[in-house]
Amino acid sequence: MLDQRIKFRHLTCFLEVARQRSVVKAADTLSITQPAVSKTIRELEEHLDARLFDRSKRGVTLTDFGKVFLRYAGASVTALRQGVDSISQVRMQGGLSINLGVLPTVAASVMPNAIRRFKSLSPDTTVKVVAGPNVMLMGQLRVGELDLVVGRLAEPDQMSGLSFIHLYSEHISLVARPGHPLLTDENPDITRIREFTVLVPPKHAIIHPTVDKMLIAHGIGALPDRIETVSTSFGRAFTRETDAIWIISNGAVASDIAEGHLVELPIDTSDTFGPVGLTTRIDSPISPPVEMLINAVREEAALHHATHSGLNT
Amino acid sequence: MLDQRIKFRHLTCFLEVARQRSVVKAADTLSITQPAVSKTIRELEEHLDARLFDRSKRGVTLTDFGKVFLRYAGASVTALRQGVDSISQVRMQGGLSINLGVLPTVAASVMPNAIRRFKSLSPDTTVKVVAGPNVMLMGQLRVGELDLVVGRLAEPDQMSGLSFIHLYSEHISLVARPGHPLLTDENPDITRIREFTVLVPPKHAIIHPTVDKMLIAHGIGALPDRIETVSTSFGRAFTRETDAIWIISNGAVASDIAEGHLVELPIDTSDTFGPVGLTTRIDSPISPPVEMLINAVREEAALHHATHSGLNT
DNA sequence: ATTTTGCATAACTATATAATTATGCATTGT
DNA sequence: ACAATGCATAATTATATAGTTATGCAAAAT
């Protein structure tokens, strides 16, 4: 049971005294008299039924209780401050907004449903969806321009200061149009893809090194006829209309495969398995609306994974 | 500036009304009269200078402002509740404690200093350090027996419900005693390691699949003479005393290499690069003491990486 | 040996608080 | 049309609040 007599006044006073390690100094910055501070602290201690400070003649120091309570008290007033701030934000821009970076893997698979799910819970929050090269998105995330990036786990050197939440794993697929010449074989010779135009992810894409490794592992060197593309819509259209082969993360084409618009080449890509998830900043705490979006994405991903897992195993 | 007139009474009242969508019902569960609730809400609205509810004749509904404020208000009182709770916890068990899982990679490199750093900031928090097979540690983490696991990123299928914070990346090393026969060559034939006893990580180790891939990539099949071991102290002693070769994550033997007790075989292990970091539960929020420990580890890792990065590039 | 520093306590006071009861008023439902 | 519902407002009151000034007291500093 929370003691209703505890007020924010007590917490702010406590925090200030703890910070300054001095009743007098705290009183000064709070613009009240020293006895007022003494009394407020004593009240808080009585409400909590625990000593928060050890008093000495050259200042005060936190007790064990105080040290522990300090963090939570800080969190509590911070939350309220944020709440007050966010209200004025809403007033200004007419609604909260979340800035979301989306990588190709999930842009067409989980995210549409995830965002719909989120909007049904929180219809007044504007969600801004940004796509682009992952390096750019990660940069924006680190700077605070984005609140969240969804997609494959980026290269380690890009992940400093960021936190990753795993959703599911997927592999990379080689897809072609139905009726493609290579599909006639049961076990096609993978090196024959050199005979066709191959769409590959560009150098800055997360999956680029993985694709390279895979090609090398399968004994394929540099591809003679290659197109580098970021655009899944281009890749999709081009692959369906020509004999090109498209190397792309499975999630980006899962629905096309399911619907028969594209066909996966029967080639072992098990070592291209990689984690897909949510990337956030580690320092700034996750705001409640973003947390809701995260939950929506996780739920949707679980659902998605359950229905599509057959493709991945 | 936070309006000091806002009290927890206002927040709890607001939360209750929001939950019940009714002033009368909220008044009932709060055991006060309906006008008292009306007035409290009005006060809060005045302090925030924003309408939180739309009043109608069949209950009240949250405004946009209210919806936004709701989350933060909840977070604020939750934090205070936790604070009050944690005090009684401290009283009972005589000090907060953190349960920490440590994988071999960091057990001997970053963690000792990181924990020392943390203890200097927060000497009254007991840190319990647990080692063991990563599968077990991850299981304990998921159940809540551990608060944090530090080490290599686990396999994706173990990461559901967990969040990963990247610290740095490291590769896997092949080490042997100084003066080992293979070290005489400038560019030794890696397949010759078959001639020696090889210490490899056991099947459940995180790096096991990576090691396997590497061996295959270098054209080495199954090793004829192998010892599987979890124990770094055994591995260390055995490798120093015999001609055995030890395949182990670099972090576990970095100091031994630096001090010349062990020597790294000049073999390309660049594709064994993998992320090392902190794994936490995603659902339960990170408690302030754990957050402090996380920061300590991050700072120490940054330092560690800065001084040791020459080894990794 | 003083003086200063730092906190605690006491006595006091205007104001705010947190309820209460009583009443009003506009919908909703019958 | 009338009762019931649900919230708002007003008047009232005991109590808590949030400070203030004045004073005391022990440890540090000079």
Side-chain angles (χ1 to χ4, degrees), chain A:
Chain A
M1 230 349 202
L2 188 134
D3 194 326
Q4 292 284 15
R5 292 170 307 179
I6 299 177
K7 314 240 175 75
F8 283 101
R9 180 177 62 86
H10 294 109
L11 299 189
T12 50
C13 185
F14 166 71
L15 291 172
E16 195 56 36
V17 174
R19 192 174 70 81
Q20 307 243 29
R21 301 173 198 288
S22 158
V23 171
V24 186
K25 284 178 194 161
D28 191 43
T29 56
L30 293 170
S31 306
I32 53 177
T33 57
Q34 169 262 313
V37 174
S38 284
K39 206 172 124 197
T40 303
I41 296 298
R42 185 156 47 81
E43 282 168 11
L44 181 58
E45 289 180 326
E46 278 164 12
H47 296 332
L48 292 173
D49 193 27
R51 276 212 112 45
L52 295 171
F53 291 105
D54 284 324
R55 281 78 163 170
S56 85
K57 291 300 150 182
R58 55 168 187 288
V60 292
T61 51
L62 283 167
T63 63
D64 286 2
F65 296 138
K67 283 176 198 163
V68 170
F69 189 67
L70 178 62
R71 306 287 153 185
Y72 297 95
S76 183
V77 310
T78 303
L80 182 64
R81 283 227 173 81
Q82 284 187 332
V84 175
D85 290 352
S86 68
I87 281 190
S88 54
Q89 267 194 20
V90 172
R91 199 195 309 281
M92 300 224 282
Q93 53 176 269
L96 267 200
S97 67
I98 295 180
N99 295 317
L100 180 65
V102 170
L103 295 168
T105 324
V106 290
S109 48
V110 267
M111 288 317 288
N113 282 330
I115 289 175
R116 194 185 320 146
R117 177 188 288 261
F118 171 71
K119 292 291 275 185
S120 73
L121 295 173
S122 178
D124 309 285
T125 306
T126 316
V127 180
K128 191 173 146 199
V129 178
V130 181
N134 82 86
V135 188
M136 191 185 84
L137 293 186
M138 292 302 165
Q140 289 179 320
L141 177 61
R142 205 172 289 109
V143 178
E145 281 174 52
L146 294 176
D147 301 298
L148 193 65
V149 172
V150 190
R152 274 228 178 195
L153 174 61
E155 289 295 303
D157 59 350
Q158 285 181 45
M159 288 297 292
S160 66
L162 302 177
S163 161
F164 182 76
I165 299 166
H166 179 83
L167 290 173
Y168 58 89
S169 295
E170 52 139 46
H171 57 85
I172 292 169
S173 293
L174 282 76
V175 295
R177 66 168 177 82
H180 189 279
L182 271 183
L183 288 166
T184 51
D185 291 1
E186 262 285 295
N187 250 328
D189 179 8
I190 183 172
T191 55
R192 283 192 57 203
I193 72 169
R194 298 181 55 112
E195 299 167 19
F196 302 92
T197 303
V198 182
L199 302 188
V200 292
K203 245 188 300 301
H204 58 249
I206 295 174
I207 59 172
H208 181 84
T210 314
V211 169
D212 262 10
K213 272 187 206 166
M214 181 192 64
L215 291 176
I216 292 168
H218 280 91
I220 306 167
L223 293 162
D225 182 5
R226 60 195 276 157
I227 297 177
E228 297 198 349
T229 178
V230 247
S231 167
T232 48
S233 50
F234 167 79
R236 185 173 181 278
F238 192 81
T239 309
R240 291 183 64 186
E241 289 167 19
T242 72
D243 277 351
I245 291 163
W246 190 14
I247 304 180
I248 185 72
S249 60
N250 185 269
V253 290
S255 64
D256 282 315
I257 295 172
E259 290 163 21
H261 298 143
L262 292 171
V263 181
E264 207 168 337
L265 298 184
I267 285 167
D268 179 29
T269 54
S270 56
D271 51 355
T272 62
F273 227 58
V276 174
L278 302 150
T279 307
T280 59
R281 243 165 302 130
I282 168 81
D283 10 74
S284 56
I286 292 168
S287 76
V290 171
E291 198 179 324
M292 288 184 66
L293 178 58
I294 288 180
N295 285 332
V297 176
R298 291 185 68 204
E299 284 165 22
E300 195 53 47
L303 214 72
H304 184 264
H305 188 58
T307 43
H308 290 60
S309 61
L311 292 171
N312 291 349
T313 48

Side-chain angles (χ1 to χ4, degrees), chain B residues 62-127:
Chain B
L62 284 167
T63 62
D64 287 2
F65 295 138
K67 284 177 198 162
V68 170
F69 189 67
L70 178 63
R71 307 285 154 187
Y72 296 94
S76 183
V77 309
T78 303
L80 182 64
R81 283 226 173 80
Q82 284 187 330
V84 175
D85 290 352
S86 69
I87 281 189
S88 54
Q89 267 194 18
V90 171
R91 199 194 310 281
M92 299 223 282
Q93 53 176 271
L96 269 200
S97 67
I98 296 180
N99 296 316
L100 179 65
V102 170
L103 294 168
T105 323
V106 290
S109 49
V110 267
M111 287 318 288
N113 282 328
I115 288 176
R116 194 184 320 148
R117 179 188 288 262
F118 171 71
K119 291 292 275 184
S120 75
L121 295 173
S122 178
D124 309 285
T125 307
T126 316
V127 181

